[in-house]
Structures are given as structure tokens and as C-alpha cells.
Amino acid sequence: MAQTKSIYTCQNCGAQSPKWLGRCTSCGGWNTYVEEVVEKKKSTSKISVQLSGNQPLTLENIKAEKNQRFPAGINEFDRVLGGGIVPGSIVLLGGEPGIGKSTLVLQMALGLPNKKILYISGEESLQQIKLRATRLEMKQNNCLFLSETSLEHVIAQTEQTMPDLLVVDSIQTVSTEVIESSPGSVSQVRECTSAILKFAKKNDVAVILIGHINKEGSLAGPKVLEHMVDTVLQFEGDTNYMYRILRANKNRYGSTNELGIFEMRGNGLQEVLNPSEQLISKVSDDVSGTAIAATIEGIRPFLIEIQSLVSSAAYGTPQRSSTGFDLRRLNMLLAVLEKRAGFKLLAKDVFLNIAGGLKINDPATDLAVICSILSSNIDVAVDHKTCFTGEVGLTGEIRGVNRIEQRIAEAAKLGFNKIFIPAVNKGFDASAFNIQIEKVARVEEVFRIIFRK
Ligand code: TYD
Ligand code: MG
């Protein structure tokens, strides 16, 4: 006989409690517990011993993967996946609303000619999908579309169609009758994913699940799903800008260091194959306040333009504002500048901007940030054929960076004449690059070289 029981689940992290709690003891969120009814099958009191299940095997007896990956047709997407889609794998694609998840997946689905694809949308009607496809100017292929939110129907349709790839947009809209809580709640999302996962593994169907994240994380975020799925991809960027970055946060079938860069156009997402060329504005010939940083995101080197504007502070408290760069780090760098270059912190407003609306986490950007600020402050342009890489320490020393050869190679490839690198980075052949390499140990040295007149 089935027995019903209610439990309280935190909608933020998925923690459960038999009683309602005002504050989640696990994630600290307030007012996140929601009552959910679970149906429990009456179990027999003893665990019955069965030998009919799977047997343990030695490695040599385990059959190797019979199906090979198939390419998704979009190079940047394949690169992040680690070379293509693995049959039977589950990929979770997360991102803020409006970032372009549905567009990316639809574009991929329509671009795969020889695969059977079932695209389930719980968010958009079939007409809306058709409109989007028209906008993408893609040719029709035999991709099947279904607007559905019931998990039971989704599984039944998938079983009947047996596609190579199943797309579910989004997992938050799918719900099962077994659980009484509303679609999008943690238990619904977890239950639906686990049912889809079981089906996919059994039938070797690759699955792409789209998941929402909202800023407050109050909705059942895909966090709960992260350990269930094989690959977690994150699609990010600033919706006000056109660049989008696809990263892998977890990948059982490839590296998490890869990065895909896209540009949102009027007719869909376009791959950006040479990000450096696009991210450097060609006009900044001899204007002060810009400096080029040779950065690495994941394992991908690119050059990016840092822009600063320093002006006299109009009010008692100077303004500091930064887009795409950590504000606390900016304050730290300004303090270093005050100490080493006589930059009067209290008298200046500082605005910093990373071109293209990208967020940069690489500490090797520091040197370019510092140079661009100083350049704007003294109104002397940095030579536009010079770029920088190096982390700046509190005493003004320039610390070593990783993958220095890749950074130098990228700068040389793009036609830069000179690159400043940390003096501590040794152990590579400088003569192999067609670029002048300037090794510097302290920020004062850099200032002396670039602002010497
Ligand atoms: P969408 O894929 O619906 O986002 P998500 O599924 O992540 O919520 O993309 C929505 C945005 O993308 C929308 O603001 C319009 C824009 N867009 C373009 O700029 N060009 C296009 O070709 C398409 C289809 C969408
Ligand atoms: Mg969408």
C-alpha cells in the first residue's frame, strides 16, 4: 500500500527536513523551505538479498564504449564538450534567462543533418520555435519538435521515436505526476532528471537538458543536478553585449579548461574563431587610457583591451567603477599605484572597462590594468603595438604567470611588436617568437620604459 508523507525541501540547495525551518541549516537561505508530498512505497521490513542484478567485473571484462562521439556541428560547442556529443551522456546547459541557451541548442539541432533529434520544449510553443528557426535562416532537417511538460509523455514519446539526441528545454518546466509539488521545485527537477538519466543510459540516447539559473538562486537551480549529469556547461555573458562564453564546469568526457566564444547576431549565434582580433578595437591608435592584456581563460589565450578613465574627483569620496574586473582588486592596484607612481588616490575618480562586456578572472591582467590607469592619469598613450601580461603583487613586484609561451605566441600572431612579461618567468626559448620580449620585475620599471619621453 502506498503511504503519503510530507517533507520540507529547501528550494535553494535541496536539503530536506521533516519540519519547516525559517532558515536552511545547510545553505543559510531564509524562507526557502516548501512542503512537498512524497509517496512512499511500503517496504518490507528486511532488505531482501537478490543475486539477479548486475555482477561485478574486472576491467578487462568490461566492454569498451561501443558508440563513438558525434560532432555537434558547431566547432566552439564541440571544443567545450571535448570533441563532440557522447551517446548516452547527459549534458546540462545552464545560464541566465535570455542569454541564448535555446538559440544555441536549436541552432545545433537544425545543423545536424544525419541524426535523429527530438526537441522537447516546455517553454515555447511550436509556432514560437518555428519563428525562431526562420529567424536563424537555417535549412529544415528532420529534427522533430514537441511542446510538452509531462515527464511521462516525454519518456513515452522518446521511447517511440528513439532519437540519437534528446533536447529538453527546460528541465524546470517538466513535471511528473508521481510528485505533487509544483514544476521547477527541487524534488520535481531531481525526479525528472533521474528518470531521463535512467532512460538515456539504458537506451544510449544523448541528452541535452537546459536549466535556468536566476540571480537570487531562489528557484530550484541546476545546482542540485550537477552531480547527476555527466557534463555541466555554463553559458554566460552580459545580455547587453553581444559576446557569450560557453564553459564546462564539469565534464566526465573532456577537459573543463576549454572555452567557446560566440557572438549574438540578429540571425543567431556566430562562432568567434579569432577572439583577440575582435576584442581589440582598431581605432585606439594613440589615445591615452587603453592597454592590451595577454590573458588566458581556461587554456585559451586571447588579447583583450583594458580601458580606463581617470578624472578629478568632484566629490569628497572618489568614485571607483569597474566593468568586467573585480572592484576590490582594482582598489588594491590603485593603492599600489599610489605607493609606486605618486598617483593621488583621494583626488581621482577611476573608471575601468574590459572591452566586449567580458568578465576576466585571470590575475595576469593586472599589469595592463595598472598601465591603462596610469596612461589615462598622465594622458600619455601606451604604444598600441605593445601588450602586457603579469600579476602585480602588493609591494609592486610583478609575479609570474602560467602558460607564458601561449600568451607570447598569441601576441606575436596578432602582430604586436612588444610584450612585457614577468622577469621570473624563465625556462622558455625567447628567440622562438617574432616579438620583442621585455622582462620586468617591478611596476616602476614598466612605467619608466613605456612613459619615457
Ligand atoms: P534565448 O535563446 O531565448 O535565451 P534563453 O533560452 O537562454 O532564455 O535568447 C534570447 C535572446 O537572444 C533574445 O533577447 C533575443 C536574442 N536573439 C538574437 O539576438 N538573435 C537571434 O537570432 C535570436 C534567435 C535571439
Ligand atoms: Mg529559452
Side-chain angles (χ1 to χ4, degrees):
M1 198 189 85
Q3 193 186 355
T4 56
K5 186 186 150 205
S6 65
I7 50 160
Y8 293 84
T9 311
C10 170
Q11 300 298 296
N12 196 18
C13 70
Q16 291 182 331
S17 155
K19 280 193 295 184
W20 187 83
L21 297 175
R23 182 170 189 250
C24 176
T25 47
S26 165
C27 70
W30 288 95
N31 208 12
T32 53
Y33 276 80
V34 169
E35 183 179 7
E36 289 177 352
V37 182
V38 279
E39 200 168 299
K40 221 178 166 189
K41 283 200 197 87
K42 202 161 190 196
S43 60
T44 46
S45 54
K46 275 190 216 152
I47 298 170
S48 56
V49 180
Q50 285 184 336
L51 266 182
S52 53
N54 290 338
Q55 302 292 321
L57 292 173
T58 58
L59 273 185
E60 74 183 297
N61 290 333
I62 301 173
K63 273 190 233 121
E65 217 172 81
K66 48 186 186 296
N67 281 317
Q68 293 301 313
R69 312 173 173 253
F70 59 89
I74 300 177
N75 291 336
E76 296 286 291
F77 197 67
D78 280 335
R79 175 210 286 271
V80 179
L81 286 173
I85 299 171
V86 179
S89 73
I90 299 220
V91 177
L92 175 68
L93 175 66
E96 280 173 26
I99 204 76
K101 302 177 294 295
S102 307
T103 309
L104 178 67
V105 176
L106 181 65
Q107 224 169 308
M108 190 205 71
L110 292 176
L112 272 177
N114 301 321
K115 294 284 172 195
K116 206 169 181 188
I117 300 161
L118 179 58
Y119 188 110
I120 312 252
S121 180
E123 303 210 327
E124 285 157 293
S125 65
L126 295 179
Q127 285 79 8
Q128 278 173 305
I129 298 178
K130 173 113 190 178
L131 277 177
R132 191 193 291 260
T134 323
R135 187 170 173 189
L136 294 176
E137 296 162 12
M138 304 278 294
K139 278 196 292 276
Q140 310 267 339
N141 66 357
N142 45 10
C143 177
L144 296 168
F145 294 93
L146 174 69
S147 188
E148 184 58 73
T149 55
S150 146
L151 175 77
E152 285 72 20
H153 289 165
V154 169
I155 299 271
Q157 287 295 343
T158 318
E159 209 153 18
Q160 203 183 24
T161 325
M162 257 327 149
D164 298 302
L165 176 68
L166 169 71
V167 174
V168 181
D169 182 7
S170 68
I171 187 68
Q172 271 90 2
T173 54
V174 180
S175 63
T176 166
E177 293 153 13
V178 181
I179 294 179
E180 274 187 25
S181 52
S182 58
S185 66
V186 173
S187 30
Q188 279 287 6
V189 168
R190 195 191 300 149
E191 196 60 35
C192 294
T193 311
S194 102
I196 294 173
L197 185 120
K198 252 183 240 158
F199 177 85
K201 297 282 171 207
K202 192 168 146 222
N203 300 297
D204 247 353
V205 174
V207 181
I208 296 183
L209 300 178
I210 294 181
H212 292 167
I213 317 172
N214 63 6
K215 285 205 176 93
E216 301 82 37
S218 58
L219 195 109
K223 278 268 174 257
V224 197
L225 312 177
E226 285 182 12
H227 25 234
M228 295 171 88
V229 302
D230 297 308
T231 304
V232 179
L233 302 183
Q234 194 176 340
F235 206 32
E236 55 185 42
D238 192 327
T239 35
N240 296 322
Y241 288 93
M242 54 192 183
Y243 292 108
R244 304 281 184 269
I245 291 186
L246 184 70
R247 307 173 193 272
N249 288 346
K250 159 179 173 181
N251 196 349
R252 288 192 182 140
Y253 302 106
S255 144
T256 51
N257 284 329
E258 287 289 2
L259 189 86
I261 304 179
F262 296 89
E263 191 184 332
M264 182 61 100
R265 297 251 182 99
N267 57 353
L269 288 155
Q270 195 78 34
E271 299 172 60
V272 178
L273 298 174
N274 45 359
S276 306
E277 278 172 29
Q278 311 238 349
L279 293 171
I280 298 172
S281 63
K282 311 274 181 312
V283 284
S284 63
D285 248 14
D286 278 320
V287 281
S288 65
T290 67
I292 311 287
T295 69
I296 290 210
E297 279 290 305
I299 52 169
R300 198 158 176 193
F302 55 87
L303 283 100
I304 192 156
E305 186 173 317
I306 316 278
Q307 299 183 325
S308 301
L309 180 66
V310 175
S311 63
S312 304
Y315 303 103
T317 321
Q319 294 189 64
R320 309 270 181 260
S321 149
S322 103
T323 318
F325 191 78
D326 184 21
L327 194 57
R328 274 173 302 177
R329 194 151 188 101
L330 172 65
N331 281 323
M332 187 277 268
L333 294 176
L334 289 175
V336 172
L337 268 176
E338 170 158 40
K339 195 90 179 165
R340 305 286 155 200
F343 180 82
K344 291 282 169 288
L345 272 181
L346 278 176
K348 307 284 185 187
D349 286 341
V350 179
F351 307 95
L352 188 80
N353 182 27
I354 308 254
L358 296 182
K359 284 194 184 63
I360 297 293
N361 299 320
D362 184 8
T365 330
D366 289 355
L367 191 56
V369 168
I370 256 190
C371 289
S372 83
I373 295 172
L374 199 61
S375 155
S376 175
N377 190 42
I378 60 178
D379 204 14
V380 174
V382 177
D383 178 40
H384 70 282
K385 288 281 178 203
T386 299
C387 61
F388 305 86
T389 191
E391 182 182 342
V392 174
L394 286 183
T395 62
E397 88 275 20
I398 296 172
R399 307 169 68 104
V401 298
N402 60 355
R403 301 177 185 271
I404 188 73
E405 283 151 295
Q406 262 176 286
R407 295 173 197 261
I408 302 174
E410 181 76 6
K413 196 176 94 189
L414 284 157
F416 280 82
N417 297 334
K418 195 193 250 185
I419 180 166
F420 284 84
I421 68 161
V424 288
N425 272 104
K426 297 195 179 84
F428 65 93
D429 180 15
S431 61
F433 304 101
N434 183 21
I435 185 171
Q436 186 191 345
I437 297 172
E438 193 89 48
K439 294 189 175 181
V440 280
R442 305 201 48 83
V443 287
E444 299 92 313
E445 272 177 59
V446 186
F447 301 154
R448 227 174 291 134
I449 302 170
I450 55 173
F451 300 120
R452 178 179 51 198
K453 279 274 161 182

